[in-house]
Coordinates of all heavy atoms in Angstrom, one line a residue:
M5 N 26.1 -10.5 -11.6 CA 25.2 -10.6 -10.5 C 25.1 -9.3 -9.6 O 24.1 -9.0 -9.0 CB 25.5 -11.8 -9.6 CG 25.0 -13.1 -10.2 SD 23.3 -13.3 -10.3 CE 23.1 -14.9 -10.9
A6 N 26.3 -8.7 -9.6 CA 26.4 -7.5 -8.7 C 25.5 -6.4 -9.2 O 24.9 -5.6 -8.4 CB 27.9 -7.1 -8.5
A7 N 25.4 -6.3 -10.6 CA 24.6 -5.2 -11.1 C 23.1 -5.4 -10.9 O 22.4 -4.5 -10.6 CB 24.9 -5.1 -12.6
L8 N 22.7 -6.7 -10.9 CA 21.3 -7.1 -10.6 C 21.0 -6.7 -9.2 O 19.9 -6.2 -8.9 CB 21.1 -8.5 -10.9 CG 19.6 -9.0 -10.7 CD1 18.7 -8.2 -11.6 CD2 19.5 -10.5 -11.0
K9 N 21.9 -6.9 -8.2 CA 21.7 -6.7 -6.9 C 21.6 -5.2 -6.7 O 20.7 -4.8 -5.9 CB 22.8 -7.2 -6.0 CG 22.6 -7.1 -4.5 CD 23.6 -7.9 -3.7 CE 23.2 -7.7 -2.2 NZ 24.1 -8.4 -1.4
V10 N 22.4 -4.4 -7.3 CA 22.3 -2.9 -7.2 C 21.0 -2.4 -7.7 O 20.4 -1.6 -7.0 CB 23.5 -2.3 -7.9 CG1 23.3 -0.7 -7.9 CG2 24.8 -2.6 -7.2
I11 N 20.6 -3.0 -8.8 CA 19.3 -2.5 -9.4 C 18.1 -2.9 -8.4 O 17.2 -2.1 -8.2 CB 19.1 -3.2 -10.8 CG1 20.1 -2.6 -11.8 CG2 17.6 -3.0 -11.3 CD1 20.1 -3.3 -13.1
L12 N 18.2 -4.1 -7.8 CA 17.1 -4.5 -6.9 C 17.1 -3.6 -5.7 O 16.1 -3.3 -5.1 CB 17.3 -6.0 -6.5 CG 16.8 -7.0 -7.5 CD1 17.1 -8.4 -7.0 CD2 15.3 -6.8 -7.7
I13 N 18.3 -3.3 -5.1 CA 18.4 -2.4 -4.0 C 17.8 -1.0 -4.3 O 17.1 -0.5 -3.5 CB 19.8 -2.3 -3.5 CG1 20.2 -3.7 -2.8 CG2 20.0 -1.2 -2.4 CD1 21.7 -3.8 -2.5
I14 N 18.1 -0.5 -5.4 CA 17.6 0.8 -5.9 C 16.1 0.7 -6.0 O 15.3 1.6 -5.5 CB 18.2 1.3 -7.1 CG1 19.7 1.7 -6.9 CG2 17.5 2.5 -7.7 CD1 20.5 1.9 -8.1
L15 N 15.6 -0.3 -6.6 CA 14.1 -0.5 -6.7 C 13.5 -0.7 -5.3 O 12.4 -0.2 -5.1 CB 13.9 -1.7 -7.6 CG 12.4 -2.0 -8.0 CD1 11.8 -0.8 -8.7 CD2 12.3 -3.3 -8.8
F16 N 14.1 -1.4 -4.5 CA 13.6 -1.6 -3.1 C 13.5 -0.3 -2.4 O 12.5 -0.1 -1.7 CB 14.6 -2.6 -2.4 CG 14.0 -3.1 -1.1 CD1 13.0 -3.9 -0.9 CD2 14.7 -2.7 0.1 CE1 12.5 -4.3 0.3 CE2 14.3 -3.1 1.3 CZ 13.1 -3.9 1.4
V17 N 14.5 0.5 -2.5 CA 14.4 1.8 -1.8 C 13.3 2.7 -2.4 O 12.6 3.4 -1.6 CB 15.8 2.5 -1.9 CG1 15.7 4.0 -1.4 CG2 16.9 1.8 -1.0
A18 N 13.2 2.6 -3.7 CA 12.1 3.4 -4.3 C 10.7 3.0 -3.9 O 9.8 3.8 -3.6 CB 12.2 3.3 -5.8
V19 N 10.5 1.6 -3.8 CA 9.3 1.1 -3.3 C 9.1 1.5 -1.8 O 7.9 1.9 -1.5 CB 9.2 -0.5 -3.5 CG1 8.0 -1.1 -2.7 CG2 9.2 -0.8 -4.9
C20 N 10.1 1.5 -1.0 CA 9.9 1.9 0.4 C 9.5 3.4 0.5 O 8.6 3.7 1.3 CB 11.2 1.7 1.1 SG 11.7 0.0 1.4
V21 N 10.1 4.2 -0.3 CA 9.7 5.6 -0.2 C 8.3 5.8 -0.8 O 7.5 6.6 -0.2 CB 10.8 6.5 -1.1 CG1 10.3 7.9 -1.3 CG2 12.1 6.5 -0.4
A22 N 8.0 5.1 -1.8 CA 6.6 5.2 -2.4 C 5.6 4.8 -1.4 O 4.5 5.3 -1.2 CB 6.5 4.5 -3.7
L23 N 5.8 3.6 -0.7 CA 4.9 3.1 0.3 C 4.8 4.1 1.5 O 3.6 4.4 1.9 CB 5.5 1.8 0.9 CG 5.0 0.6 0.3 CD1 5.7 -0.6 0.9 CD2 3.5 0.4 0.5
T24 N 5.9 4.7 1.9 CA 5.7 5.7 3.0 C 4.9 6.9 2.6 O 4.0 7.4 3.3 CB 7.2 6.2 3.4 OG1 8.0 5.1 3.7 CG2 7.1 7.3 4.5
V25 N 5.1 7.4 1.4 CA 4.3 8.6 0.9 C 2.8 8.2 0.7 O 2.0 9.0 1.2 CB 4.9 9.1 -0.5 CG1 4.0 10.1 -1.1 CG2 6.3 9.7 -0.2
I26 N 2.5 7.1 0.1 CA 1.2 6.7 -0.1 C 0.4 6.4 1.3 O -0.7 6.8 1.4 CB 1.1 5.4 -1.0 CG1 1.5 5.8 -2.4 CG2 -0.3 4.8 -1.0 CD1 1.7 4.7 -3.4
I27 N 1.1 5.8 2.2 CA 0.5 5.6 3.5 C 0.2 7.0 4.2 O -0.9 7.1 4.8 CB 1.3 4.7 4.3 CG1 1.3 3.3 3.8 CG2 0.9 4.7 5.8 CD1 2.3 2.3 4.4
L28 N 1.1 7.9 4.1 CA 0.8 9.2 4.7 C -0.2 10.0 4.0 O -0.9 10.8 4.6 CB 2.1 10.0 4.7 CG 3.2 9.6 5.6 CD1 4.5 10.4 5.4 CD2 2.7 9.6 7.0
F29 N -0.6 9.7 2.7 CA -1.6 10.3 2.0 C -3.0 9.8 2.4 O -4.0 10.5 2.2 CB -1.5 10.2 0.5 CG -0.6 11.3 -0.1 CD1 0.2 10.9 -1.1 CD2 -0.7 12.6 0.3 CE1 1.1 11.8 -1.7 CE2 0.1 13.5 -0.3 CZ 1.0 13.2 -1.3
Q30 N -3.1 8.6 3.0 CA -4.4 8.0 3.3 C -5.0 8.7 4.5 O -4.3 9.1 5.4 CB -4.2 6.5 3.5 CG -3.8 5.8 2.3 CD -3.7 4.3 2.5 OE1 -4.0 3.8 3.6 NE2 -3.2 3.6 1.5
E31 N -6.3 8.7 4.4 CA -7.1 9.2 5.5 C -7.1 8.3 6.7 O -7.0 7.1 6.5 CB -8.5 9.5 5.1 CG -8.6 10.6 4.0 CD -10.0 10.8 3.5 OE1 -10.9 10.2 4.1 OE2 -10.2 11.5 2.5
G32 N -7.4 8.8 7.9 CA -7.5 8.0 9.1 C -8.8 7.2 9.1 O -9.8 7.6 8.4
N33 N -8.8 6.1 9.8 CA -10.1 5.3 9.9 C -10.8 5.6 11.2 O -11.0 4.7 12.0 CB -9.6 3.8 9.7 CG -10.8 2.9 9.5 OD1 -11.9 3.4 9.3 ND2 -10.6 1.7 9.6
S34 N -11.2 6.8 11.4 CA -11.9 7.1 12.6 C -13.4 7.1 12.4 O -14.0 7.8 11.6 CB -11.5 8.6 13.0 OG -11.9 9.5 12.0
A35 N -14.1 6.2 13.0 CA -15.5 6.0 12.9 C -16.3 6.9 13.9 O -17.5 7.0 13.9 CB -15.8 4.5 13.1
G36 N -15.5 7.4 14.9 CA -16.2 8.3 15.8 C -16.9 7.5 16.9 O -16.7 6.3 17.1
L37 N -17.9 8.1 17.6 CA -18.6 7.4 18.7 C -19.6 6.4 18.2 O -20.1 5.5 18.9 CB -19.4 8.4 19.5 CG -18.4 9.3 20.4 CD1 -19.3 10.3 21.1 CD2 -17.6 8.5 21.3
G38 N -19.9 6.4 16.8 CA -20.9 5.5 16.3 C -20.3 4.1 16.3 O -21.1 3.2 16.2
S39 N -19.1 3.9 16.3 CA -18.5 2.6 16.3 C -18.7 1.9 17.7 O -18.6 0.7 17.7 CB -17.0 2.7 16.0 OG -16.3 3.4 16.9
L40 N -18.9 2.6 18.7 CA -19.1 2.0 20.0 C -20.4 1.2 20.1 O -20.4 0.2 20.8 CB -19.1 3.1 21.1 CG -17.8 3.8 21.3 CD1 -17.9 4.9 22.4 CD2 -16.7 2.9 21.7
S41 N -21.4 1.6 19.4 CA -22.7 0.9 19.5 C -22.8 -0.2 18.4 O -23.7 -1.0 18.5 CB -23.8 1.9 19.3 OG -23.8 2.5 18.0
G42 N -21.8 -0.2 17.5 CA -21.8 -1.3 16.5 C -22.6 -0.9 15.3 O -22.8 -1.7 14.4
Q43 N -23.2 0.3 15.3 CA -24.0 0.7 14.1 C -23.1 1.1 12.9 O -22.1 1.8 13.2 CB -24.9 1.9 14.5 CG -25.9 1.5 15.5 CD -26.8 2.8 15.9 OE1 -26.4 3.9 15.5 NE2 -27.8 2.5 16.7
K44 N -23.5 0.7 11.8 CA -22.7 1.1 10.6 C -23.7 1.9 9.7 O -24.7 1.4 9.3 CB -22.1 -0.1 9.9 CG -21.2 0.3 8.8 CD -20.5 -0.9 8.2 CE -19.7 -0.4 7.0 NZ -19.0 -1.5 6.4
L45 N -23.3 3.1 9.4 CA -24.1 3.9 8.6 C -23.6 3.8 7.1 O -22.6 4.1 6.8 CB -24.0 5.4 9.1 CG -24.9 6.5 8.3 CD1 -26.3 6.1 8.5 CD2 -24.6 7.8 8.8
E46 N -24.6 3.3 6.3 CA -24.3 3.2 4.9 C -24.6 4.6 4.2 O -25.7 4.9 4.2 CB -25.1 2.1 4.3 CG -24.7 0.7 4.7 CD -23.3 0.3 4.1 OE1 -23.0 0.7 2.9 OE2 -22.6 -0.4 4.7
T47 N -23.6 5.1 3.7 CA -23.7 6.4 3.0 C -23.3 6.3 1.6 O -22.7 5.2 1.2 CB -22.9 7.5 3.7 OG1 -21.5 7.2 3.6 CG2 -23.3 7.8 5.1
Y48 N -23.6 7.2 0.7 CA -23.1 7.2 -0.6 C -21.6 7.1 -0.7 O -21.1 6.4 -1.5 CB -23.6 8.5 -1.3 CG -23.2 8.6 -2.8 CD1 -23.8 7.8 -3.8 CD2 -22.1 9.3 -3.2 CE1 -23.5 7.8 -5.1 CE2 -21.7 9.4 -4.5 CZ -22.4 8.6 -5.4 OH -22.0 8.7 -6.7
W49 N -20.9 7.8 0.2 CA -19.5 7.8 0.2 C -18.9 6.4 0.5 O -18.0 5.9 -0.1 CB -19.0 8.8 1.2 CG -17.5 8.7 1.5 CD1 -16.9 8.3 2.6 CD2 -16.4 9.0 0.6 NE1 -15.5 8.2 2.5 CE2 -15.2 8.7 1.2 CE3 -16.3 9.4 -0.7 CZ2 -14.0 8.8 0.7 CZ3 -15.1 9.5 -1.3 CH2 -14.0 9.2 -0.6
S50 N -19.5 5.7 1.5 CA -19.1 4.4 2.0 C -19.3 3.4 0.9 O -18.6 2.4 0.7 CB -19.6 4.0 3.3 OG -21.0 3.9 3.2
K51 N -20.4 3.5 0.1 CA -20.8 2.5 -0.9 C -19.9 2.7 -2.2 O -19.6 1.7 -2.8 CB -22.2 2.7 -1.3 CG -23.2 2.3 -0.3 CD -24.6 2.5 -0.9 CE -25.6 2.2 0.2 NZ -27.0 2.4 -0.2
N52 N -19.4 3.9 -2.4 CA -18.6 4.1 -3.6 C -17.2 4.5 -3.3 O -16.5 5.1 -4.1 CB -19.2 5.3 -4.4 CG -20.5 4.9 -5.0 OD1 -20.7 3.8 -5.5 ND2 -21.5 5.8 -4.9
K53 N -16.7 4.0 -2.1 CA -15.3 4.4 -1.8 C -14.3 3.6 -2.6 O -13.2 4.2 -2.8 CB -15.1 3.9 -0.3 CG -14.0 4.6 0.4 CD -14.0 4.4 1.9 CE -13.0 5.2 2.5 NZ -13.0 5.1 3.9
K54 N -14.6 2.5 -3.2 CA -13.6 1.8 -4.1 C -13.3 2.6 -5.3 O -12.2 2.5 -5.8 CB -14.2 0.5 -4.5 CG -14.3 -0.6 -3.4 CD -14.8 -1.9 -3.9 CE -14.9 -2.9 -2.8 NZ -15.5 -4.1 -3.3
R55 N -14.2 3.4 -5.8 CA -13.9 4.2 -7.0 C -13.3 5.6 -6.8 O -13.0 6.3 -7.7 CB -15.2 4.5 -7.7 CG -15.9 3.1 -8.2 CD -17.1 3.4 -9.0 NE -18.0 2.3 -8.7 CZ -19.3 2.4 -8.9 NH1 -19.9 3.5 -9.2 NH2 -20.0 1.3 -8.7
S56 N -13.1 5.9 -5.5 CA -12.5 7.2 -5.2 C -11.0 7.2 -5.1 O -10.4 6.1 -5.3 CB -13.1 7.6 -3.8 OG -12.6 6.8 -2.8
R57 N -10.4 8.3 -4.7 CA -9.0 8.5 -4.6 C -8.5 7.6 -3.5 O -7.4 7.0 -3.5 CB -8.7 9.9 -4.3 CG -7.2 10.2 -4.1 CD -7.0 11.7 -3.9 NE -5.6 11.9 -3.4 CZ -5.3 12.3 -2.2 NH1 -6.3 12.5 -1.3 NH2 -4.1 12.4 -1.8
E58 N -9.3 7.5 -2.4 CA -8.9 6.7 -1.3 C -8.9 5.2 -1.7 O -7.9 4.5 -1.2 CB -9.9 6.9 -0.1 CG -9.6 6.2 1.2 CD -8.3 6.8 1.8 OE1 -8.0 8.0 1.6 OE2 -7.7 6.0 2.6
G59 N -9.8 4.8 -2.4 CA -9.8 3.4 -2.9 C -8.6 3.1 -3.8 O -8.0 2.0 -3.7
L60 N -8.2 4.0 -4.6 CA -7.0 3.9 -5.4 C -5.8 3.7 -4.6 O -4.9 2.9 -4.8 CB -6.9 5.1 -6.4 CG -5.6 5.1 -7.2 CD1 -5.6 4.0 -8.2 CD2 -5.5 6.4 -7.9
L61 N -5.7 4.6 -3.5 CA -4.5 4.5 -2.6 C -4.5 3.2 -1.9 O -3.4 2.7 -1.7 CB -4.6 5.7 -1.7 CG -4.3 7.1 -2.2 CD1 -4.5 8.1 -1.1 CD2 -2.9 7.2 -2.8
V62 N -5.6 2.7 -1.5 CA -5.6 1.4 -0.8 C -5.1 0.3 -1.7 O -4.3 -0.6 -1.4 CB -7.1 1.1 -0.3 CG1 -7.2 -0.4 0.2 CG2 -7.4 2.0 0.9
R63 N -5.6 0.2 -3.0 CA -5.1 -0.8 -4.0 C -3.7 -0.6 -4.3 O -3.0 -1.6 -4.4 CB -6.0 -0.7 -5.2 CG -7.5 -1.2 -5.0 CD -8.2 -1.3 -6.3 NE -8.1 -0.2 -7.2 CZ -9.0 0.8 -7.2 NH1 -10.0 0.8 -6.3 NH2 -8.9 1.9 -8.0
L64 N -3.3 0.6 -4.4 CA -1.8 0.9 -4.8 C -1.0 0.4 -3.6 O 0.1 -0.1 -3.8 CB -1.7 2.3 -5.1 CG -0.3 2.7 -5.7 CD1 0.0 2.0 -6.9 CD2 -0.3 4.3 -6.0
T65 N -1.4 0.7 -2.4 CA -0.7 0.3 -1.2 C -0.5 -1.3 -1.2 O 0.6 -1.8 -0.9 CB -1.3 0.8 0.1 OG1 -1.4 2.2 0.0 CG2 -0.6 0.3 1.3
A66 N -1.6 -1.9 -1.4 CA -1.5 -3.4 -1.4 C -0.6 -4.0 -2.5 O 0.2 -4.9 -2.2 CB -3.0 -4.0 -1.6
A67 N -0.6 -3.4 -3.7 CA 0.3 -3.8 -4.7 C 1.7 -3.5 -4.4 O 2.6 -4.4 -4.6 CB -0.1 -3.1 -6.0
L68 N 2.0 -2.4 -3.8 CA 3.4 -2.0 -3.5 C 3.9 -2.9 -2.3 O 5.1 -3.3 -2.2 CB 3.5 -0.6 -3.1 CG 3.5 0.4 -4.3 CD1 3.6 1.8 -3.8 CD2 4.8 0.1 -5.2
V69 N 3.0 -3.3 -1.4 CA 3.4 -4.2 -0.3 C 3.8 -5.6 -0.8 O 4.8 -6.2 -0.4 CB 2.3 -4.3 0.7 CG1 2.5 -5.5 1.7 CG2 2.2 -3.0 1.5
V70 N 3.1 -6.1 -1.8 CA 3.4 -7.3 -2.5 C 4.8 -7.2 -3.2 O 5.7 -8.1 -3.0 CB 2.3 -7.8 -3.5 CG1 2.8 -8.9 -4.3 CG2 1.1 -8.1 -2.8
V71 N 5.0 -6.1 -3.9 CA 6.3 -5.9 -4.5 C 7.4 -5.8 -3.5 O 8.5 -6.3 -3.7 CB 6.3 -4.6 -5.5 CG1 7.7 -4.3 -6.0 CG2 5.3 -4.8 -6.6
F72 N 7.2 -5.1 -2.4 CA 8.1 -4.9 -1.3 C 8.6 -6.3 -0.8 O 9.8 -6.6 -0.7 CB 7.5 -4.1 -0.2 CG 8.3 -4.0 1.1 CD1 9.2 -3.0 1.1 CD2 8.1 -4.8 2.1 CE1 10.1 -2.9 2.3 CE2 8.9 -4.7 3.3 CZ 9.8 -3.8 3.4
F73 N 7.6 -7.2 -0.5 CA 8.0 -8.5 0.0 C 8.7 -9.4 -1.0 O 9.6 -10.2 -0.7 CB 6.7 -9.2 0.6 CG 6.4 -8.7 2.0 CD1 5.2 -8.0 2.2 CD2 7.2 -8.9 3.0 CE1 4.9 -7.5 3.5 CE2 6.9 -8.5 4.3 CZ 5.7 -7.7 4.5
L74 N 8.3 -9.2 -2.2 CA 9.0 -10.0 -3.3 C 10.4 -9.6 -3.5 O 11.4 -10.5 -3.5 CB 8.3 -9.9 -4.6 CG 6.9 -10.6 -4.7 CD1 6.2 -10.3 -6.0 CD2 7.1 -12.1 -4.6
I75 N 10.7 -8.3 -3.5 CA 12.0 -7.8 -3.6 C 12.9 -8.1 -2.4 O 14.0 -8.6 -2.4 CB 12.1 -6.3 -3.9 CG1 11.5 -6.0 -5.3 CG2 13.5 -5.8 -3.8 CD1 11.3 -4.6 -5.5
A76 N 12.2 -8.0 -1.2 CA 12.9 -8.4 0.0 C 13.3 -9.9 0.0 O 14.4 -10.2 0.5 CB 12.0 -8.1 1.3
A77 N 12.4 -10.7 -0.4 CA 12.7 -12.1 -0.5 C 13.9 -12.4 -1.5 O 14.7 -13.2 -1.2 CB 11.5 -12.9 -0.8
L78 N 13.8 -11.7 -2.6 CA 14.9 -11.9 -3.6 C 16.2 -11.4 -3.0 O 17.3 -12.1 -3.2 CB 14.6 -11.1 -4.8 CG 13.6 -11.8 -5.9 CD1 13.3 -10.8 -7.0 CD2 14.3 -13.1 -6.4
L79 N 16.2 -10.3 -2.3 CA 17.5 -9.8 -1.8 C 18.0 -10.7 -0.7 O 19.2 -10.7 -0.4 CB 17.3 -8.4 -1.3 CG 17.2 -7.4 -2.4 CD1 16.8 -6.0 -1.8 CD2 18.5 -7.2 -3.2
N80 N 17.1 -11.4 0.0 CA 17.5 -12.3 1.1 C 18.0 -13.7 0.7 O 18.5 -14.4 1.5 CB 16.4 -12.3 2.1 CG 16.8 -12.8 3.4 OD1 17.9 -12.6 3.9 ND2 15.9 -13.5 4.1
T81 N 17.8 -14.0 -0.5 CA 18.3 -15.4 -1.0 C 19.7 -15.5 -1.1 O 20.5 -14.4 -1.2 CB 17.6 -15.7 -2.3 OG1 17.9 -14.8 -3.3 CG2 16.0 -15.8 -2.2
A82 N 20.2 -16.6 -1.3 CA 21.7 -16.8 -1.4 C 22.2 -16.7 -2.8 O 23.4 -16.9 -3.1 CB 22.0 -18.2 -0.9
W83 N 21.4 -16.3 -3.7 CA 21.8 -16.0 -5.1 C 22.8 -14.9 -5.2 O 23.6 -14.9 -6.1 CB 20.6 -15.8 -6.0 CG 19.7 -16.9 -6.2 CD1 19.8 -18.2 -5.6 CD2 18.4 -16.9 -6.7 NE1 18.7 -19.0 -6.0 CE2 17.8 -18.1 -6.6 CE3 17.7 -15.9 -7.3 CZ2 16.6 -18.5 -7.1 CZ3 16.4 -16.2 -7.8 CH2 15.9 -17.5 -7.7
F84 N 22.7 -14.0 -4.3 CA 23.6 -12.8 -4.5 C 24.7 -12.9 -3.6 O 24.9 -12.7 -2.5 CB 22.7 -11.5 -4.2 CG 21.6 -11.3 -5.2 CD1 20.3 -11.5 -4.8 CD2 21.8 -11.0 -6.5 CE1 19.3 -11.4 -5.7 CE2 20.9 -10.9 -7.4 CZ 19.6 -11.0 -7.0

C-alpha cells in the first residue's frame, strides 16, 4: 500500500503543476466597457472559440480538475 500512496502523491504533484501551468497559459476574460451595457458582440472568434487553442486549454483544465479532486479524495481516505 505504501508504494501506491507514493505513486498517487507523485501523480498528484504532477497534476498540480500541470494545472498551474495551464491556468497561466489561459487568456484573461476581459470584456471591456461593452460588458457594462450588457451587449454581447458575436464575432467569428467567439463562435469558434471551442475549436481554438483557448478552447483546448479550457477542456484540459476541466479534465485535470476532475483528476485533481479524485486523487485528493483517494489520498484522504483511510485506506492508506
Side-chain angles (χ1 to χ4, degrees):
M5 286 289 183
L8 182 60
K9 185 173 184 177
V10 170
I11 292 171
L12 280 176
I13 290 173
I14 292 171
L15 186 62
F16 188 68
V17 170
V19 168
C20 290
V21 170
L23 266 173
T24 303
V25 170
I26 290 173
I27 288 172
L28 289 175
F29 274 140
Q30 292 181 6
E31 295 176 7
N33 192 9
S34 60
L37 292 177
S39 65
L40 293 177
S41 63
Q43 296 176 352
K44 185 174 180 181
L45 182 63
E46 287 291 326
T47 62
Y48 179 77
W49 169 251
S50 65
K51 290 180 183 177
N52 294 316
K53 201 169 187 178
K54 289 182 183 178
R55 297 183 210 155
S56 67
R57 178 178 169 253
E58 185 68 25
L60 174 68
L61 289 176
V62 169
R63 289 191 308 271
L64 191 56
T65 302
L68 282 176
V69 166
V70 170
V71 171
F72 173 85
F73 280 112
L74 288 175
I75 294 174
L78 279 175
L79 287 173
N80 198 27
T81 59
W83 295 349
F84 299 108

